[in-house]
Amino acid sequence: MVKLEDLTIGQFIVLVSGGRSILGEVEGDSLSVVNTIRNIILEYKEIADPAGAKNYLIETEEIMKAKLNFALFSICRNLAEMKEYNRVREILCEYGISAESMNPQRLQAEVDSRYERAKYAIEKADTKENENTSGSTDIRREFDAQTAALMAHFKFQIDTSKMKATVYAHLVARHNLEIKARRQAMKK
């Protein structure tokens, strides 16, 4: 299995830009390739921007929760359409909603409301994700700019075809910390 430490920063940039050939022959289906890419990118983010990685995980958890809620309340809607109100109550109670005394109309309203909230949460997350990936065609340019900033800051050349991606990620993290410290010092 390919890890971040196995890649140069140049290879990582190609991978993030959509070039999967960098991985060579990855065993398994396309889902395992996607998971490998996700894990490599997450590993980079954890080193370069721990706070950003934490936010990414929180957002991912929220999306997964919304998708699970959407599936659950879709099932409840289908059961309600079949007049299986006792089963709907059972599912809602297991979910943590006090539904024992709800009449069928109230059950339907509760299920519909939660279904629509989950649907909205998924749409909102998709919109946010599309906004974040709309500039993905400029990934190489952004890395070029970042590399130039790192070279100016640390005053040495970076060969992206030779530098390990993990080393580059640590340089980014250190650069960010030093810039943050300078800003704090300027505020005093």
Side-chain angles (χ1 to χ4, degrees), residues 25 27-28 35 44 76 89 91 99-100 178:
E25 292 295 319
E27 293 181 24
N35 284 335
Y44 176 86
C76 288
R89 280 187 195 92
I91 291 170
E100 299 90 358
E178 289 180 13

Side-chain angles (χ1 to χ4, degrees), residues 27-98:
E27 293 181 24
D29 56 7
S30 61
L31 181 61
S32 59
V33 172
V34 170
N35 284 335
T36 300
I37 293 169
R38 185 205 63 214
N39 290 342
I40 290 170
I41 293 171
L42 186 57
E43 189 178 351
Y44 176 86
K45 284 184 176 187
E46 286 174 340
I47 295 169
D49 184 16
K54 184 178 178 182
N55 287 338
Y56 171 78
L57 290 173
I58 289 169
E59 288 173 6
T60 302
E61 182 181 341
E62 289 173 2
I63 292 169
M64 292 303 298
K65 186 177 177 182
K67 287 181 178 181
L68 288 171
N69 283 341
F70 182 77
L72 177 79
F73 293 113
S74 293
I75 292 168
C76 288
R77 285 181 83 180
N78 292 335
L79 287 171
E81 284 180 20
M82 296 185 303
K83 309 276 190 249
E84 294 285 340
Y85 299 116
N86 287 335
R87 293 175 86 188
V88 174
R89 280 187 195 92
E90 184 180 317
I91 291 170
L92 293 180
C93 288
E94 197 66 37
Y95 183 77
I97 300 169
S98 299

